């Protein structure tokens, strides 16, 4: 199975501060896509941001940015200026040549006022 | 507005029953996926399909089968439900074009097998 690793325990972050969520992946494929999803307590999966393996620049989407370090096989999500509504589970995912979409175990983030 | 719809939000079934979980998407996507989500384990791929009548096993296919007779519909079948299949089941779909297309998810079905 394709391996996506998210090892951080639950995180508490102060409102308006930035938080970084770690993700590493394991592939020898030269071409792949990386994704982050948010799952609030209501349960729906919300797509946040993606990065292609050949993209030269780190992806950004509003307050979300992806710190892509290809040589280290890491794709960390940075959320700037945290808001109370950012409290959720966050999942890192990767799609490789076989077109499967594999997910990590997730990071729980709680934003405190 | 893109949509992936799962037929039930909550489902309670008895051990040994045959269970059908239905998923429909209206985006003309080629790929469809079934995952189960358990606390501490993330999302694990059960089966996926890249075309009508085509299917591939994911990481945990045991005890499950799938059916894709029409492009928009992907069904997950529990042939004989067991208590260890109590879980949240998530359906997703995506276009087949390239590795950078995101998947869209349904609202999930929380299945309890008693």
């Amino acid at each position: 199975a394709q391996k996506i690793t998210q090892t951080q325990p639950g995180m508490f972050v102060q409102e308006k501060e930035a938080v970084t969520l770690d993700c590493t992946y394991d592939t020898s494929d030269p071409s792949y896509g990386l994704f982050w999803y948010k799952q609030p307590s209501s349960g729906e999966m919300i797509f946040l941001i993606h990065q292609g393996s050949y993209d030269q620049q780190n992806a950004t989407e509003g307050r979300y940015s992806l710190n892509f370090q290809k040589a280290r096989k890491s794709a960390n999500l940075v959320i700037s200026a945290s808001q109370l509504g950012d409290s959720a589970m966050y999942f890192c995912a990767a799609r490789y040549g076989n077109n499967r979409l594999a997910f990590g175990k997730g990071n729980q983030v709680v934003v405190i006022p | 507005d893109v949509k992936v719809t799962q037929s039930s939000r909550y489902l309670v079934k008895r051990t040994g029953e045959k269970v059908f979980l239905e998923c429909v998407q209206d985006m003309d996507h080629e790929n469809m996926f079934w995952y189960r989500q358990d606390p501490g384990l993330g999302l694990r791929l059960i089966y996926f399909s890249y075309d009508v009548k085509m299917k591939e096993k994911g990481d945990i296919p045991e005890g499950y089968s799938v059916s894709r007779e029409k492009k928009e519909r992907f069904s997950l079948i529990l042939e004989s439900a067991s208590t260890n299949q109590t879980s949240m089941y998530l359906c997703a779909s995506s276009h087949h074009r390239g590795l950078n297309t995101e998947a869209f998810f349904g609202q999930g079905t929380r299945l309890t097998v008693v």
Side-chain angles (χ1 to χ4, degrees):
Chain A
Q2 299 155 338
K3 197 169 179 187
I4 313 295
T5 304
Q6 297 178 256
T7 56
Q8 292 159 301
M11 303 174 71
F12 290 91
V13 58
Q14 202 75 42
E15 196 177 6
K16 297 180 187 174
E17 290 188 351
V19 59
T20 298
L21 305 180
D22 296 339
C23 172
T24 59
Y25 54 94
D26 184 13
T27 183
S28 55
D29 288 5
S31 183
Y32 49 87
L34 300 162
F35 305 84
W36 277 92
Y37 285 81
K38 170 184 178 181
Q39 187 181 45
S41 57
S42 53
E44 74 265 37
M45 292 286 283
I46 302 167
F47 165 72
L48 297 177
I49 194 169
H50 97 273
Q51 179 90 38
S53 58
Y54 292 116
D55 292 345
Q56 295 295 316
Q57 294 194 329
N58 287 340
T60 60
E61 193 70 50
R63 293 186 299 110
Y64 304 107
S65 59
L66 205 154
N67 184 0
F68 180 45
Q69 298 187 47
K70 195 169 182 176
R72 293 185 178 183
K73 296 184 180 177
S74 78
N76 299 340
L77 177 70
V78 180
I79 306 173
S80 62
S82 297
Q83 301 172 356
L84 297 178
D86 293 334
S87 295
M89 281 288 286
Y90 289 83
F91 291 96
C92 179
R95 173 173 279 154
Y96 304 121
N98 59 15
N99 212 26
R100 298 180 178 206
L101 185 60
F103 284 81
K105 294 183 179 181
N107 295 112
Q108 181 74 53
V109 172
V110 176
V111 180
I112 51 178
Chain B
D1 197 17
V2 296
K3 213 150 186 182
V4 179
T5 305
Q6 295 182 230
S7 53
S8 304
R9 192 72 195 262
Y10 299 94
L11 213 51
V12 180
K13 295 292 182 180
R14 295 198 179 277
T15 301
E17 273 194 78
K18 190 169 186 175
V19 181
F20 292 85
L21 302 184
E22 306 286 348
C23 176
V24 177
Q25 51 95 3
D26 65 1
M27 296 166 282
D28 202 35
H29 284 168
E30 296 82 8
N31 296 331
M32 295 189 76
F33 307 83
W34 274 108
Y35 295 89
R36 65 176 282 177
Q37 182 179 8
D38 301 287
L41 297 179
L43 277 72
R44 293 180 293 167
L45 182 64
I46 305 171
Y47 267 97
F48 83 103
S49 169
Y50 52 90
D51 202 349
V52 175
K53 296 191 187 294
M54 305 304 288
K55 61 186 179 186
E56 282 199 20
K57 292 180 180 179
D59 300 319
I60 52 164
E62 296 78 19
Y64 303 95
S65 63
V66 289
S67 171
R68 189 145 180 225
E69 296 297 317
K70 293 185 177 181
K71 190 175 186 180
E72 66 270 20
R73 186 180 296 271
F74 191 35
S75 304
L76 180 69
I77 304 156
L78 287 66
E79 296 289 341
S80 177
S82 63
T83 54
N84 63 11
Q85 293 177 309
T86 291
S87 187
M88 170 70 89
Y89 290 86
L90 291 164
C91 174
S93 72
S94 74
H95 273 304
H96 195 62
R97 42 179 163 81
L99 300 174
N100 291 317
T101 50
E102 73 269 28
F104 297 86
F105 280 81
Q107 76 276 29
T109 296
R110 187 165 292 282
L111 173 67
T112 303
V113 183
V114 298

